[in-house]
């Protein structure tokens, strides 16, 4: 086996570890906590399904790949809950270190491509990254709503915290933000999200 193929297969095996990184969000119908691989897969399918609601023209293949790789760094950095203010302070430095370690397994050309894609997602400047982020925000929102807001109640998430995160959804899709806003208001009214 040549070195390139060996490195690609090593990376393929390494990213299987994403299945063992569990998130705070639960699967629908009050299931167990979802893992990073499930979250990323779900986001990628949602991106394809909902692409017509993007504010701008997007490259859906690129968006799907962003969705699939955006949390791979958590294999080494761990998952940071969206509303965990303390761990959010160190998230970027932990993920940057993990990004270099993980993508360095790959041949240089593929490493460069995936790092550039990861960095584009994180920078939140392009239409593609904004729409991918909208999926990253909407996916746990619809799961939590399907579970009667259990994760929000458990973590005592506030209206302000939810809106600080979800307002960015509108940058990728105004239409999907309208949907998210209705879900949020409904859960505030139910007492699942603190005022």
């Amino acid at each position: 086996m040549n070195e390139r193929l060996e490195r690609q297969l090593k990376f393929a095996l390494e990213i299987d570890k994403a299945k063992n990184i569990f998130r705070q969000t639960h699967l629908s119908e009050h299931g167990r906590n979802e893992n990073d691989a499930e979250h990323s897969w779900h986001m990628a399918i949602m991106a394809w399904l909902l692409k017509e609601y993007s504010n701008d023209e997007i490259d859906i293949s690129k968006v799907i790949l962003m969705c699939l790789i955006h949390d791979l760094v958590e294999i080494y950095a761990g998952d940071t809950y969206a509303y965990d203010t303390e761990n959010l302070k160190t998230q970027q430095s932990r993920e940057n270190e993990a990004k270099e370690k993980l993508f360095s397994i790959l041949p240089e050309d593929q490493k460069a491509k995936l790092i550039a894609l990861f960095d584009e997602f994180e920078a939140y400047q392009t239409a593609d990254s904004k729409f991918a982020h909208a999926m990253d925000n909407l996916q746990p929102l619809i799961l939590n709503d399907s579970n009667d807001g259990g994760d929000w109640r458990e973590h005592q998430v506030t209206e302000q915290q939810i809106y600080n995160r979800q307002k960015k959804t509108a940058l990728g899709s105004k239409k999907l933000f309208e949907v998210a806003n209705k879900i949020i208001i409904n859960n505030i009214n139910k007492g699942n999200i603190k005022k």
Side-chain angles (χ1 to χ4, degrees), residues 47-62:
W48 184 84
L49 289 171
L50 303 172
K51 64 186 177 210
E52 66 196 82
Y53 304 109
S54 176
N55 293 340
D56 301 299
E57 192 72 28
I58 55 171
D59 176 347
I60 194 59
S61 296
K62 187 176 176 187

Side-chain angles (χ1 to χ4, degrees), residues 23 25-34 38-39 42 46 137-152 183:
R23 298 164 44 81
T25 306
H26 286 77
L27 301 175
S28 61
E29 299 182 11
H30 303 280
R32 62 164 170 75
N33 293 69
E34 74 172 346
E38 293 163 331
H39 165 66
H42 201 185
M46 286 175 61
N137 294 340
L138 186 61
Q139 188 269 347
L141 186 88
I142 64 172
L143 285 182
N144 209 354
D145 182 55
S146 79
N147 289 316
D148 303 316
D151 296 323
W152 292 319
I183 291 171

Side-chain angles (χ1 to χ4, degrees), residues 148-150 152-153 157 186-194:
D148 303 316
W152 292 319
R153 283 194 316 274
V157 176
N186 187 39
N187 279 278
I188 290 169
N189 291 338
K190 288 180 179 178
N192 296 332
I193 298 170
K194 292 169 60 177

Side-chain angles (χ1 to χ4, degrees), residues 4 6 17 25 29 36 51 56 60 65 115-116 119 125 157 159 169 176 180 192 194:
R4 180 177 179 84
E6 188 175 344
K17 293 176 181 175
T25 306
E29 299 182 11
D36 272 356
K51 64 186 177 210
D56 301 299
I60 194 59
L65 190 53
I115 284 180
D119 289 346
Q125 297 297 311
V157 176
E159 175 182 0
T169 299
L176 295 177
N192 296 332
K194 292 169 60 177

Side-chain angles (χ1 to χ4, degrees), residues 27-142:
L27 301 175
S28 61
E29 299 182 11
H30 303 280
R32 62 164 170 75
N33 293 69
E34 74 172 346
N35 64 46
D36 272 356
E38 293 163 331
H39 165 66
S40 298
W41 161 82
H42 201 185
M43 278 177 60
I45 294 290
M46 286 175 61
W48 184 84
L49 289 171
L50 303 172
K51 64 186 177 210
E52 66 196 82
Y53 304 109
S54 176
N55 293 340
D56 301 299
E57 192 72 28
I58 55 171
D59 176 347
I60 194 59
S61 296
K62 187 176 176 187
V63 170
I64 287 171
L65 190 53
M66 275 184 191
C67 291
L68 291 172
I69 70 158
H70 82 289
D71 274 345
L72 289 179
V73 294
E74 293 182 1
I75 291 169
Y76 304 136
D79 177 56
T80 303
Y81 184 51
Y83 306 111
D84 180 348
T85 52
E86 198 55 39
N87 277 323
L88 286 170
K89 293 175 186 173
T90 62
Q91 181 182 17
Q92 186 174 8
S93 62
R94 287 183 287 114
E95 290 188 352
N96 281 339
E97 187 177 315
K99 169 184 70 174
E100 184 61 32
K101 180 179 177 183
L102 179 66
F103 294 126
S104 289
I105 296 170
L106 286 166
E108 284 302 315
D109 62 315
Q110 290 182 323
K111 172 189 174 183
K113 182 170 178 67
L114 291 188
I115 284 180
L117 205 56
F118 178 88
D119 289 346
E120 181 180 341
F121 177 84
E122 290 296 311
Y124 217 120
Q125 297 297 311
T126 65
D128 294 333
S129 66
K130 289 174 185 176
F131 191 71
H133 268 284
M135 298 303 100
D136 197 24
N137 294 340
L138 186 61
Q139 188 269 347
L141 186 88
I142 64 172

